[in-house]
Each structure stands twice: as C-alpha cells, then as structure tokens.
Amino acid sequence: MAAADELAFHEFEEATNLLAQTPDAAITRSDQLTPQGHVAVVMDSGGSYGADDEVESDKAALLQEEKQQPGFWTFGYYQSFFDVDTSQVLDRIKGSLLPRPGHNFVRHHLRNRPDLYGPFWICATLAFVLAITGNLTLVLAQRRDPSIHYSPQFHKVTVAGITIYCYAWLVPLALWGFLRWRRGVRERVGPYTFLETVCVYGYSLFVFIPTVVLWLIPVPWLQWLFGALALALSAAGLVFTLWPVVREDTRLAATVLLSTVVLLHTLLAMGCKFYFFQPLPLEHVAPPHQAMSQPPNTLPPTLPRSMAT
Amino acid sequence: MRSRVREFDSSTLNESVQNTIMRDLKAVGKKFMHVLYPRKSNTLLRDWDLWGPLILCVTLALMLQRGSVDSEKDGGPQFAEVFVIVWFGAVTITLNSKLLGGNISFFQSLCVLGYCILPLTVAMLVCRLVLLAELGPINFMVRFFVVIVMFAWSIVASTAFLADSQPPNRKALAVYPVFLFYFVISWMILTFTPQ
C-alpha cells in the first residue's frame, strides 16, 4: 500500500539525480515521462528534453535490441561488458564507498549497464595489494626483531588471488541462484542479473584496498578500527542493494540471506587479516627470544562479530 | 635495402644463417633503442616481433631465481611464476585494452608491453650488482631509487605507445592495468634477496 508510493517517490528522486548527472544517459523506463519527470527537467539547465524524451527512449529501445544480437562466442558479446568510461567507473567506485539507505547501487549507479572491468581489476588489485602489504609487515617485523628471517613469500600472491577471485565470483553466483530460486515468492521486483550481482560484490571490495594499505600502521587497535570501518561500509553497501529485492520475501528468508552475506564478508576480511598480516613482535627493548613468544594480540575478536548481525 | 622488403622476398631462404640472425638481432636492438628513448614513433607497432619480449622475460626470470638449495616454501618467485606473470599479465592487459575498444592488434600490444620491460630488466641487473656489496639501508635506498626510476620509465614508454590507441574517455582505464603490471614486476625485483 505505502510501498507503491514509496517506490514512486524514490524513483522521482532518482530521476532528478540521473538527469542532473548525465543528460546523455540512455533512459529506458517510461515513467520518466510522467509530469514529475518534466518538472525535474525544467529545473535542470538541459532544455532540449521536452521533445526529445520520446526520441531518446525509442533510440534506447533500439540500442537494447541491437545489443542482444552478438552470440556468446563472438568478441562483441564480451565487449559489451566493458562498455564503460573512466568517469563511470570512478562514479561506481564512489557509490560503493558511500552507501546510503534507499540508495540502491544497482539501480542508481549501474543503471542496467553492468561492467566486468571494475570487478576484475579491483579483485586483481586487492589480491596484489594484500600480498605486497603482508610482505611489508614482515619487513617491519624484521626491523624490530632481526632474528625473523625475511623472505618474499611469493606463494601468498597465488593464495590471495585465488581467494579473492573465488569470493568475488562464486558467492555472487550462489546469491544469484538463491534469488532466482526464491523468485516465485516475489511479484514486484525482479532479481538482479548475474552480472549485476558480480558488479555489486566487485565494487564493494574496493574499500578494502585502502584499508589493507592502512593495516601497515603497526598499532593493533587502529588496525581493528580500520577493519571494522571498511567491513561496515562494504557490508552496508551490499545490504542496501539487496534489501529491495529481499524485503518482499518472508522475514526468515530475508534475515537468513542478509546475515549470510554479511557473515561471509566478515569471514573474508578476518581471514585476510589473520593470514596475510602477522602480529608484530614487541618493541626491540627486550631480548629477542622474549619478544618472539608474546605477539601483541590485545583486542579480542568480538568486535567484528558484533558488526555481523 | 633487402631488409626493407623482407616480408615477401623469398630469396631470404638462401642467405646464410648469420645474415638472418643478425637481421633479427638488429631489429630487436632497434626496438630496444625506441624503448629507451621513447618518442612518438610507430616502429614498435608496425614491425612487431616477440623475440625481444622473450629474451627480456627469460633474462628477468633467470635473474630472479635464487639458489636452488632454497628449500623453504615461501621463497621468491620461481622461473615459471615470473614467466606466467609476465606473459599472462601481458595477455590480460591486451585483452582488456581490446575489450575497451582500443584499435591495436593483439600481437602489437604484446610486443609493446614486452619490450617495455627492458628498463626493469636493466634495474634487475643493477640491483644484482649492488647486492654484491654489503647489505644495509644505503644498499636498499640505492636499489629502491633505481627500481622507482626504471618503473617510471617503463610506464612512460609503454603509455607513449599504447595510449593513442584508446578512445580519450577510456585512456585511464587502459593504462591502469599497465601500471599494476609493472608495479608487480618492480616489487618482485625490489624484494629480491640473494640467499
């Protein structure tokens, strides 16, 4: 009852933002032509929309048809997944860094044009940054305690790569499968396509890149703080994106799904922290053998668990 | 003279092996010069070859090997790992560049990326020489400085050749993976420690 009004009002706000940001975006929904849409256009400075709205939507419809023609064995099919500009990728990254309730990442930033560039290269960057900063902590540890033997630990690159890529591609696959399975329960809002789910997960991992770099600072409580902050931002982005799709479902299924998503994300963050970053020995005032036996693990790991629900 | 029409000249079959090898070596050497002094010329793109990248990759991988008595699991990259990173990295970047709509051919891009490893190979040589001296913070600073300069040189050289093939609103998207690629190679060079 109120849900329909909420949805209409929400889309009006989106229409304003859409038209304000990129006047050349291909508009595919016909409710942009409602009087509310026209009011938004008049406030804007792009004055040529009055007559061209229908032309735009016709052109957009034609483009959509053309895009479906290449088969999956052609190069053009995969090229359609990389059809993004630098500004669009940066906008999507910004959108993932600042999640807002009601601000659906898929509808607002992806706008039915998911890309594979972001997820792929964000995962690659994260894998390498994890391995490199993990190695750097070993350097820092060796400077404090010369008995630790430094080695480049190159196998960690492989481990990092496999972990991040499996997480960013298999978990969206499972999520997409689950949402499609529950599709019969929901009438109003369709589930996201597989690519959109992969995009959401890929861009949500971006916030971990600066966090991992900041984990170099050898102050334990600061590391946990940054980790919790990054996890909160990332999980919030995921939850706000999944909420419109899941809220039509039964309460139990919605709660289970969202808490599983957040839990997996937490496991990933904590697993990376423990595997790639070893705790530093104490300051080099004690004799070396004493420093090695007491790694400073001061903060108990209850903080992330409280963020998981 | 004869080398300019070599593509369709069947009489190269009768020349001596030395001629063939010297011609290819000269072509590779010429491209090395183009990488070391990057100008906006098309030589690297027009007459691409993969000998240069192969030589550079094998040299780099051999130099990054530590002693074979290294029995720890967490050592430096093995020969195969360096090889895989360089070649699969270059293929991935090329695919990325083509998928983004660049109008450069597959092997041209591989050629450019492979040749632009030359500054980093030089950095590896210098690092190995510097590591013969005593280890210490000055040693590290010298190596760090050399690697940073060569990394920047690689990026500038490859961007000079590759950036023009992309539409202007996607240049950064195509250049960022190149940056990541050379960064990882620089990291492997910098963390090389002899046994």
Side-chain angles (χ1 to χ4, degrees):
Chain A
M1 21 166 235
D5 295 338
E6 277 175 4
L7 203 54
F9 184 76
H10 174 69
E11 285 189 70
F12 165 69
E13 185 193 23
E14 273 194 2
T16 322
N17 292 342
L18 280 175
L19 291 172
Q21 279 176 9
T22 56
D24 291 330
I27 303 170
T28 56
R29 280 183 276 180
S30 60
D31 45 7
Q32 302 277 350
L33 299 175
T34 60
Q36 292 171 332
H38 278 296
V39 168
V41 164
V42 165
M43 287 195 302
D44 207 344
S45 58
S48 63
Y49 274 93
D52 288 311
D53 257 337
E54 299 209 6
V55 177
E56 282 287 341
S57 61
D58 279 341
K59 228 194 307 182
L62 273 177
L63 283 172
Q64 293 274 341
E65 282 174 20
E66 277 176 24
K67 269 184 200 163
Q68 284 163 15
Q69 275 175 7
F72 69 91
W73 57 89
T74 60
F75 192 70
Y77 176 76
Y78 299 103
Q79 219 166 7
S80 62
F81 301 141
F82 282 77
D83 195 14
V84 279
D85 296 336
T86 312
S87 57
Q88 283 177 333
V89 171
L90 289 176
D91 172 63
R92 290 171 187 194
I93 290 177
K94 261 200 303 250
S96 77
L97 282 177
L98 305 166
R100 296 207 298 267
H103 204 76
N104 190 337
F105 181 77
V106 172
R107 296 288 167 240
H108 195 85
H109 289 276
L110 292 187
R111 288 188 226 147
N112 301 326
R113 286 173 61 181
D115 68 300
L116 278 182
Y117 178 91
F120 183 80
W121 287 109
I122 290 176
C123 291
T125 312
L126 184 59
F128 283 118
V129 167
L130 261 178
I132 289 176
T133 47
N135 201 228
L136 273 175
T137 56
L138 192 58
V139 169
L140 290 177
Q142 193 197 27
R143 295 180 78 193
R144 284 195 189 178
D145 181 4
S147 67
I148 297 179
H149 172 63
Y150 169 76
S151 61
Q153 290 178 323
F154 195 74
H155 69 287
K156 291 205 168 170
V157 172
T158 322
V159 172
I162 293 178
T163 315
I164 301 284
Y165 272 99
C166 281
Y167 180 81
W169 293 77
L170 292 182
V171 171
L173 183 67
L175 182 65
W176 173 75
F178 181 78
L179 286 178
R180 280 189 80 97
W181 176 53
R182 302 288 296 176
R183 194 183 190 176
V185 179
R186 277 181 322 276
E187 304 294 327
R188 195 189 319 268
V189 182
Y192 300 133
T193 66
F194 173 59
L195 276 178
E196 286 169 345
T197 325
V198 166
C199 260
V200 169
Y201 264 88
Y203 281 104
S204 76
L205 285 178
F206 178 82
V207 72
F208 285 114
I209 297 177
T211 311
V212 164
V213 173
L214 285 172
W215 273 346
L216 278 176
I217 305 175
V219 178
W221 63 267
L222 205 59
Q223 288 178 345
W224 284 109
L225 179 67
F226 286 137
L229 195 63
L231 184 64
L233 277 177
S234 190
L238 286 176
V239 165
F240 294 148
T241 306
L242 287 174
W243 178 243
V245 180
V246 146
R247 74 180 162 193
E248 314 276 329
D249 214 341
T250 63
R251 257 216 115 125
L252 178 64
T255 325
V256 164
L257 182 71
L258 288 177
S259 47
T260 313
V261 161
V262 175
L263 184 67
L264 283 174
H265 225 66
T266 316
L267 281 178
L268 178 80
M270 285 177 52
C272 287
K273 171 98 178 46
F274 284 124
Y275 183 71
F276 292 102
F277 294 87
Q278 54 196 49
L280 289 179
L282 293 173
E283 285 291 339
H284 192 56
V285 286
H289 68 269
Q290 208 170 11
M292 280 293 286
S293 61
Q294 293 174 30
N297 220 349
T298 54
L299 197 65
T302 56
L303 189 60
R305 220 171 284 142
S306 70
M307 310 286 302
T309 53
Chain B
M1 278 61 77
R2 177 165 284 194
S3 62
R4 298 205 187 204
V5 293
R6 66 182 170 95
E7 291 131 27
F8 299 113
D9 195 354
S10 62
S11 61
T12 58
L13 207 55
N14 293 329
E15 64 181 8
S16 65
V17 172
Q18 184 192 3
N19 272 357
T20 315
I21 292 181
M22 285 313 295
R23 192 176 58 235
D24 280 333
L25 277 180
K26 276 201 204 118
V28 167
K30 201 160 93 144
K31 293 203 190 68
F32 279 171
M33 283 299 126
H34 272 99
V35 168
L36 286 179
Y37 303 107
R39 285 185 304 273
K40 292 254 180 209
S41 83
N42 276 337
T43 313
L44 226 67
L45 293 178
R46 211 177 38 224
D47 307 323
W48 60 266
D49 73 86
L50 291 178
W51 283 116
L54 183 67
I55 295 173
L56 286 172
C57 178
V58 166
T59 315
L60 189 65
L62 281 176
M63 284 199 285
L64 276 172
Q65 282 270 62
R66 301 169 95 194
S68 58
V69 290
D70 190 28
S71 59
E72 328 171 5
K73 202 171 63 107
D74 52 344
Q78 301 297 317
F79 182 91
E81 284 168 338
V82 177
F83 214 78
V84 160
I85 281 194
V86 168
W87 285 101
F88 273 95
V91 166
T92 311
I93 295 175
T94 307
L95 277 179
N96 177 64
S97 160
K98 284 187 77 73
L99 283 169
L100 281 173
N103 60 357
I104 193 172
S105 95
F106 184 78
F107 287 108
Q108 280 173 349
S109 174
L110 277 186
C111 169
V112 167
L113 288 168
Y115 270 104
C116 291
I117 298 181
L118 176 67
L120 286 170
T121 312
V122 169
M124 183 73 217
L125 269 169
V126 170
C127 281
R128 278 213 95 145
L129 289 174
V130 167
L131 278 169
L132 292 175
E134 55 161 298
L135 295 178
I138 303 181
N139 194 301
F140 178 73
M141 290 310 293
V142 168
R143 282 187 293 138
F144 183 73
F145 179 70
V146 167
V147 169
I148 288 266
V149 165
M150 292 301 175
F151 167 64
W153 202 330
S154 281
I155 300 262
V156 164
S158 61
T159 313
F161 294 114
L162 286 178
D164 285 338
S165 66
Q166 287 290 332
N169 52 347
R170 295 183 184 182
K171 274 204 183 33
L173 293 185
V175 167
Y176 169 72
V178 176
F179 171 85
L180 189 64
F181 176 64
Y182 289 126
F183 182 75
V184 169
I185 297 182
S186 311
W187 175 255
M188 289 197 293
I189 293 174
L190 192 58
T191 58
F192 174 79
T193 51
Q195 193 57 350

